Amino acid sequence: MQWRSIVVGLVLLRLSVSCLLWLSFGLGQNVSWGFNFPLGLNLHKLDLLFGEEKGSTKRGNSWSRRTHGFKFEDTDSICPKVGEDSPQRSYPSFFDGSRDEYVRKYSSFPVSLKAKMKDMAREMFYFGYDNYMKYAFPEDELNPIDCAGRGPDVLNPSNININDVLGNYSLTLIDTLDTLLVLGNVTEFQRAVKLVIDTVSFDKDSTVQVFEANIRILGSLISAHILLTDPKHPFGKVGFEGYDNELLHLAHDLAVRLLPAFENTTTGIPYSRVNLKTGVPPDSINETCTAGAGSLLVEFGILSRLIGDSTFEWVARRAVRALWNLRSNETGLLGNVVNIQTGEWVGKQSGLGAGMDSFYEYLLKSYLLFGEIEDYRMFQAAYESIQNHLRRGRELCNEGEGDPPLYVNVNMFSGETMNTWIDSLQAFFPGLQVLNGDVENAICLHAFYYAIWRRFGALPERYNWQLQAPDVHFYPLRPELVESTYLLYQLFDEDNPLHKSDNKYIFTTEGHIVPIDQRFREKQWSDLFPCEEGALKEREPNHQHNISYCNRIPEERRYTLPLKSVYMKQIDHMVGLF
């Protein structure tokens, strides 16, 4: 019996020491021992248990220390790697399993639920579209409060929230064209196209933002024209007798009216606004944001290659190159606001959200469309700088200790964190990571934004990750998280022609679909910048990229949770879900 007493004593001693360690490091209060108690996932505290002496580094695995009462520091975790049978298994491994709440909730998507949600999405679209056509057309949009149409605020030209977007050109109808085809409504698509041809004119005394007119109007007209004339008929025979490229002519007319924005700037970076009749207003300011000036290449480039006129692609590429050449020599980062005459950075914040987002997006998407190796080299260099200076958290998404990956706003010259908020526009980045093949990082970042969505029922326009609370409390129906979700999972409408077609499609930053087509990789002119110093003349010939990266995920993980339950729970904790 003596040996039993010894064993019991040793067990009790080990339990006592373990409990003291947990309590000493502040973990005991929130620990779950496999029962229904709250679990506080302060994984960075375990560095003290497993780590050795740390050296300070610029970028570390913890971004949440202020949230948990610590001074914000960037430190790296150096937890040792241990095997499955090691007595020093990592903390997250104790919570792996196939029967937890996350596996039960997220491991399947029933066909009946999928069909129900698809029907709900369709109903929501037609609720908005039908009421716009009934109460608002031909004005730009429906004012839901007055149930009446709304166009530019002509009585208050300084109301740029309205006037930047609404140009008195039936915005909603044009913006909707390709959506009607995705929903399979060929009849209404043809009717809408004819309405646009018969009623829309850009000869208007309207001052609009170049960026908004480009992504909403020019992009939709180009997309609808391509779908109408596609000889492969991916959405069925959607063309109709008498169509004579009118949508393409409208797109050309609008682009010509936007060209004055590129004139009379010493840098080649365009003015942010133009009047569709008279050009750049005389009282225009000399400042513009990086995204606004550097996100024109997809639409302008496609237009140039469709009509055989290099002008539009040339001015868009010149703006991108001008911005690129202004990046910091120390970090490789760009700021968010620049003076178009002096080239000086007015806004020195570098991030992935407002003012920056689609600049990065269009570097990669332009490469996928046009095959210009220069675009890809710029994107890869930018992506490396983003990873080096904006990314915080643990090194790997699905392994190791530390906080989940997060991309913060930093000073473009020093890389130092400037604030503790992110905005909803940043939710596009997981989708871009998918297109770049970085699926693991995309999974983790997407889960973070999804957790914020679940907490608030929408993405706040600005979310403070330190305070776990919104800084700006509205949600203007932004599509960025939706696109990232689609690009990651694509399980929502498998039978849609968008998936079954021989074409590979990408979305513009406004969500218009364009095919990756060989004709967009051919141009009827010589190099755009043959004499410019430092121009990258190499071009990737005839290489079609398959933008499906399913094979990057190991076979054994394709039918399990994309992110381990312990890390999903950690993210939920980080955003205040429990």
Side-chain angles (χ1 to χ4, degrees), residues 162-193:
I162 292 293
N163 294 332
D164 274 357
V165 180
L166 307 186
N168 195 20
Y169 37 38
S170 300
L171 169 67
T172 298
L173 179 63
I174 296 176
D175 214 4
T176 301
L177 293 176
D178 54 345
T179 305
L180 289 166
L181 273 190
V182 172
L183 291 174
N185 195 337
V186 174
T187 301
E188 185 60 23
F189 168 76
Q190 293 174 336
R191 187 178 83 94
V193 167

Side-chain angles (χ1 to χ4, degrees), residues 220-251:
S220 185
L221 291 171
I222 290 172
S223 174
H225 168 76
I226 292 171
L227 296 175
L228 262 172
T229 57
D230 190 338
K232 298 178 182 178
H233 305 298
F235 294 91
K237 293 184 178 181
V238 302
F240 54 87
E241 185 177 355
Y243 178 69
D244 191 24
N245 299 329
E246 287 92 343
L247 296 184
L248 184 60
H249 297 322
L250 280 170

